Amino acid sequence: MIEHPELYSDEQFQELFSDVECQQMYDAMRLSTSAFELVSGEAKVANDLKEKEWKKLETVIYPVKRQRGWMQIAAAILGILLLSGITYAAVWLFSSPSSPNGDEGQQIAISPQDTTALIRSDEVRDSIQNVRIFENVQLKVIVLEIGQKHHLSVEIKNSQTAALRLYYPWNQQTPLEQVIKELNQFEKVSITLKEDLIIIE
């Protein structure tokens, strides 16, 4: 009846309202509905007030939001600068200039005083006296020491190849031709022997 009053005629309403018990029940339902609407209305008003107070509190705690925007822009610019610096360093390190050390085409002869410079901390001598272990040593240093042992000069035609770092256990009793053959098995290494000259190509 409350939900669909259009289904009832005026006479049926009068008949229902004339009954005292029905009248009391109708009044109780109407009051409970209005009480529910009142409570939900008060809750809505209270929620609106809470939202207004939270907004006021936010403005007090975070007074200027524009500073955060500038900080984000500054952080983005710093990130871009950092990334471009790393990229520049990577390109600079891995770019291959034709002659970084100017060693190409030079002949290098080793004097006895230079032998102390060839012994480095990154080279390890094996316990057997005839085996020399080169660990993470430039090819140029390895070939210079081999050349000194066999009283030969060294010519560097390709400084990039000469700058390669290798691990090579050199048995000093192995013939020179065999040593050069072993070194040529490394990728990007090309060494030739001509009379009294070892050439790094």
Side-chain angles (χ1 to χ4, degrees):
M1 181 171 164
I2 293 175
E3 292 179 4
H4 300 289
E6 68 273 358
L7 299 177
Y8 299 96
S9 66
D10 288 338
E11 290 125 16
Q12 288 174 332
F13 275 121
Q14 290 300 329
E15 189 179 307
L16 286 172
F17 289 139
S18 63
D19 186 17
V20 175
E21 208 174 285
C22 281
Q23 182 68 32
Q24 289 174 350
M25 193 190 252
Y26 175 75
D27 287 340
M29 287 177 17
R30 188 176 48 81
L31 287 174
S32 64
T33 303
S34 61
F36 178 73
E37 288 174 354
L38 180 66
V39 169
S40 65
E42 286 177 354
K44 185 178 179 186
V45 170
N47 285 338
D48 290 342
L49 285 173
K50 283 182 196 174
E51 282 296 318
K52 287 179 185 175
E53 291 300 318
W54 273 114
K55 286 181 182 176
K56 285 180 186 176
L57 186 61
E58 277 182 351
T59 58
V60 170
I61 293 174
Y62 305 111
V64 181
K65 288 190 175 185
R66 282 188 241 143
Q67 286 182 349
R68 287 171 96 189
W70 285 107
M71 289 172 52
Q72 289 174 346
I73 292 170
I77 290 172
L78 278 173
I80 290 170
L81 287 174
L82 179 66
L83 187 61
S84 63
I86 291 171
T87 305
Y88 176 75
V91 168
W92 184 77
L93 284 175
F94 294 111
S95 65
S96 55
S98 61
S99 177
N101 297 331
D103 290 341
E104 292 183 8
Q106 286 184 336
Q107 282 194 356
I108 301 173
I110 298 180
S111 64
Q113 292 89 10
D114 294 336
T115 58
T116 56
L118 291 176
I119 300 172
R120 295 179 163 193
S121 63
D122 56 351
E123 298 172 2
V124 179
R125 289 214 181 258
D126 196 32
S127 61
I128 303 172
Q129 201 63 330
N130 293 330
V131 176
R132 170 74 183 241
I133 298 176
F134 295 97
E135 189 172 328
N136 195 23
V137 179
Q138 289 185 345
L139 177 64
K140 172 175 56 174
V141 174
I142 296 171
V143 172
L144 287 172
E145 190 163 331
I146 292 170
Q148 178 191 7
K149 170 78 172 159
H150 293 282
H151 306 290
L152 299 173
S153 296
V154 176
E155 181 179 347
I156 299 172
K157 288 190 175 179
N158 187 342
S159 59
Q160 288 177 334
T161 303
L164 291 174
R165 294 188 164 274
L166 305 173
Y167 172 84
Y168 180 67
W170 172 43
N171 187 346
Q172 296 178 13
Q173 292 179 341
T174 305
L176 180 61
E177 292 79 15
Q178 180 65 30
V179 171
I180 290 176
K181 186 177 179 182
E182 288 174 2
L183 285 172
N184 281 332
Q185 290 179 355
F186 285 102
E187 189 176 323
K188 299 181 183 179
V189 174
S190 177
I191 301 172
T192 56
L193 178 64
K194 291 185 180 175
E195 299 172 9
D196 61 343
L197 185 64
I198 300 174
I199 302 169
I200 300 175
E201 298 175 359

